[in-house]
């Protein structure tokens, strides 16, 4: 067992599930957050604090501050680095809001690992956004499905800056790791959905579900596809990567390919009380060019390279080497819709 484990981003949507599962499995966890005092007062974590008093400790650390992860690393055996902003809409300064925290943050965390001889393995939350930039990128490859040998070469600070932040951070991580004694594994999830343990709504995953159930896309949805995956399965994949001796390299972590309309159709079955809000039709592409930039901040360039092209990821490696099993997508949507309702994130 690679315990103690330093977990960055454990206050976020995905990170909270990783934290919960690590504690359930008996790990000692050092949680880093920008504001531990604030974190300790949140209802969801208070339960974990009282249940796992001796196993959970808190450290203040900021991705942008050099050396700020040093203290948390002393004597730790494993690191799961999840912290990174996940934002697609409303970005004013991509460098400041996305790229710097992702890249400088990864460098900071890994430099602290380097300074500390005790760490054996680092699991980095990358993304399928590091594997491809636009759905049309599949044409760059001989395969019909994205796999772990593919890299996003089409994103930039101007086009798909979030994806650029993820591929730049992952590349930096592999470069720092070369010739180092600690092992690096990356988990590259598709679009994550499923219930949140916190009431936060800043992750694009939560925003998407809230918007779908609040009627934001009632007029219709663009013909866009996601490779979707359940947040609980992604968390389990991180821990499997930490534990498996044979784990190596990158792991695409996705379950199924769904269009937004297919997600909406399934959601109508799982949230019957919100059917009057959930979209029922797909916008013809010419209308998507008018509505999608206004509704979801998609640029024309993005639409041109993604509309109507299914995004498929090969999950054979993660299933075979890490034994990850993916739950039914209907369970994901049911649990997610129930959670946002229960947590009061929906309009009446
Ligand atoms: P989230 O809920 O917004 O969580 C982001 C986490 O990063 C929070 O814990 C936040 O901590 C931390 N963070 C952000 N900026 C920071 C900074 N400057 N210093 C320290 N911590 C900082 O997002 P999420 O959806 O769970 O995403 C988590 C990870 O999964 C990210 O690496 C993201 O790229 C990756 N991912 C997400 C998806 C998805 O569909 N959600 C898909 C693929 C990959 P604070 O509490 O301090 O704000």
């Amino acid at each position: 067992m690679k315990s103690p484990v330093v977990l960055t981003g454990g206050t976020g949507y995905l990170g909270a599930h990783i934290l919960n599962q690590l504690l359930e499995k008996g790990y000692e966890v050092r949680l880093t957050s920008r504001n531990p005092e604030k974190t300790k007062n949140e209802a969801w974590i208070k339960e974990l604090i009282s249940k796992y008093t001796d196993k959970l400790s808190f450290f203040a650390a900021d991705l942008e501050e050099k050396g700020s992860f040093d203290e948390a690393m002393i004597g730790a055996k494993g690191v799961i680095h999840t912290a990174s902003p996940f934002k697609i809409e409303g970005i004013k300064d991509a460098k400041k809001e996305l790229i710097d925290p992702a890249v400088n943050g990864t460098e900071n965390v890994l430099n602290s690992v380097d300074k500390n001889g005790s760490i054996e393995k680092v699991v980095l939350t990358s993304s399928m956004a590091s594997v491809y930039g636009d759905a049309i990128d599949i044409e760059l490859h001989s395969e019909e499905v994205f796999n772990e040998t593919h890299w996003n070469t089409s994103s930039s600070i101007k086009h798909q800056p979030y994806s650029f932040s993820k591929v730049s951070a992952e590349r930096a991580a592999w470069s720092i790791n070369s010739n180092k004694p600690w092992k690096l594994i990356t988990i590259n999830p598709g679009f994550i959905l499923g219930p949140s343990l916190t009431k936060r709504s800043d992750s694009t995953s939560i925003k998407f579900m809230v918007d779908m159930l609040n009627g934001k896309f009632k007029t219709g949805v663009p013909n866009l596809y996601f490779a979707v995956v359940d947040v609980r399965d992604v968390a389990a994949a991180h821990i499997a990567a930490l534990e498996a001796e044979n784990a190596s390299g990158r792991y695409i972590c996705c379950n199924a390919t769904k269009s937004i309309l297919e997600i909406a159709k399934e959601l109508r079955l799982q949230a019957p009380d919100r059917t009057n809000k959930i979209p029922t039709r797909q916008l013809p592409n010419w209308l998507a060019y008018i509505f999608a930039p206004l509704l979801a901040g998609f640029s024309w360039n993005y639409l041109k390279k993604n509309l109507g092209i299914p995004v498929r990821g090969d999950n054979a490696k993660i299933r075979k080497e890490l034994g990850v099993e993916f739950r039914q997508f209907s369970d994901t949507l049911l649990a997610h819709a129930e959670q946002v309702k229960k947590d009061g994130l929906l309009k009446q």
Side-chain angles (χ1 to χ4, degrees):
M1 188 180 262
K2 308 242 177 297
S3 188
V5 177
V6 176
L7 173 63
T8 76
T11 54
Y13 169 52
L14 168 62
H17 278 281
I18 299 175
L19 173 66
N20 193 37
Q21 291 186 21
L22 282 169
L23 291 169
E24 267 178 9
K25 292 193 88 172
Y27 282 86
E28 191 186 322
V29 185
R30 299 174 181 178
L31 179 71
T32 72
S33 102
R34 279 180 282 189
N35 189 342
E37 290 318 309
K38 185 170 158 259
T39 303
K40 282 183 207 165
N41 280 316
E42 289 173 16
W44 70 277
I45 212 162
K46 277 186 180 168
E47 274 178 43
L48 293 179
I49 295 171
S50 60
K51 198 165 162 196
Y52 300 103
T53 325
D54 308 334
K55 297 276 186 183
L56 176 58
S57 53
F58 293 82
F59 292 80
D62 192 312
L63 293 172
E64 305 264 21
E65 259 174 53
K66 281 203 171 128
S68 84
F69 292 87
D70 285 0
E71 197 195 336
M73 300 285 177
I74 297 168
K77 295 261 182 58
V79 173
I80 299 184
H81 174 40
T82 291
S84 205
F86 178 32
K87 218 175 150 191
I88 306 282
E89 240 187 300
I91 300 151
K92 291 193 183 82
D93 183 342
K95 182 173 177 330
K96 209 167 132 206
E97 291 169 59
L98 293 169
I99 292 144
D100 285 351
V103 179
N104 300 343
T106 298
E107 286 171 359
N108 266 338
V109 168
L110 298 184
N111 288 338
S112 296
V113 168
D114 264 347
K115 279 190 219 161
N116 195 303
S118 64
I119 289 152
E120 295 164 21
K121 199 186 255 186
V122 176
V123 180
L124 169 76
T125 311
S126 187
S127 174
M128 275 184 71
S130 175
V131 171
Y132 77 96
D134 296 296
I136 203 168
D137 291 357
I138 196 64
E139 291 179 4
L140 302 170
H141 309 293
S142 51
E143 299 87 2
E144 287 176 3
V145 177
F146 290 109
N147 67 39
E148 284 86 358
T149 67
H150 299 150
W151 283 89
N152 174 355
T153 53
S154 63
S155 297
S156 69
I157 192 161
K158 288 202 175 127
H159 176 65
Q160 303 260 60
Y162 166 71
S163 303
F164 187 60
S165 79
K166 293 306 286 181
V167 67
S168 306
E170 193 192 323
R171 283 196 188 276
W174 286 114
S175 150
I176 295 171
N177 174 248
S178 62
N179 302 319
K180 295 288 162 55
W182 44 274
K183 204 167 183 184
L184 176 67
I185 312 289
T186 69
I187 300 293
N188 297 63
F191 187 45
I192 307 176
L193 292 168
S196 177
L197 295 175
T198 80
K199 290 186 184 181
R200 279 172 72 146
S201 58
D202 38 352
S203 171
T204 297
S205 297
I206 309 292
K207 220 182 146 302
F208 173 81
M209 181 55 66
V210 168
D211 287 347
M212 288 287 266
L213 293 171
N214 270 342
K216 183 170 175 186
F217 305 116
K218 188 70 188 96
T219 34
V221 289
N223 185 17
L224 291 170
Y225 289 81
F226 299 123
V228 291
V229 63
D230 191 291
V231 66
R232 296 161 291 185
D233 298 338
V234 181
H238 281 73
I239 298 168
L242 190 70
E243 292 178 343
E245 284 304 321
N246 64 338
S248 75
R250 313 168 86 198
Y251 288 94
I252 286 187
C253 184
C254 67
N255 178 16
T257 298
K258 299 279 175 189
S259 69
I260 306 182
L261 189 66
E262 285 167 341
I263 297 174
K265 271 189 190 154
E266 184 64 46
L267 195 54
R268 291 169 76 79
L269 301 175
Q270 306 306 333
D273 54 325
R274 305 292 291 186
T275 46
N276 61 336
K277 307 271 186 202
I278 301 170
T280 51
R281 67 182 195 118
Q282 198 153 272
L283 296 171
N285 286 356
W286 67 271
L287 257 187
Y289 276 94
I290 297 173
F291 279 112
L294 302 171
L295 282 176
F298 294 129
S299 70
W300 280 21
N301 192 19
Y302 171 82
L303 293 170
K304 197 172 75 191
K305 293 172 177 168
N306 291 277
L307 274 176
I309 309 169
V311 173
R312 297 197 178 87
D314 184 351
N315 64 12
K317 185 177 179 228
I318 201 164
R319 285 190 288 114
K320 182 162 178 256
E321 291 181 13
L322 302 187
V324 174
E325 286 174 11
F326 295 101
R327 71 195 71 210
Q328 293 283 327
F329 187 55
S330 51
D331 292 355
T332 304
L333 292 183
L334 175 64
H336 201 168
E338 293 292 319
Q339 174 260 318
V340 293
K341 273 187 247 171
K342 178 176 74 57
D343 285 343
L345 298 179
L346 300 184
K347 289 185 202 144
Q348 285 314 306

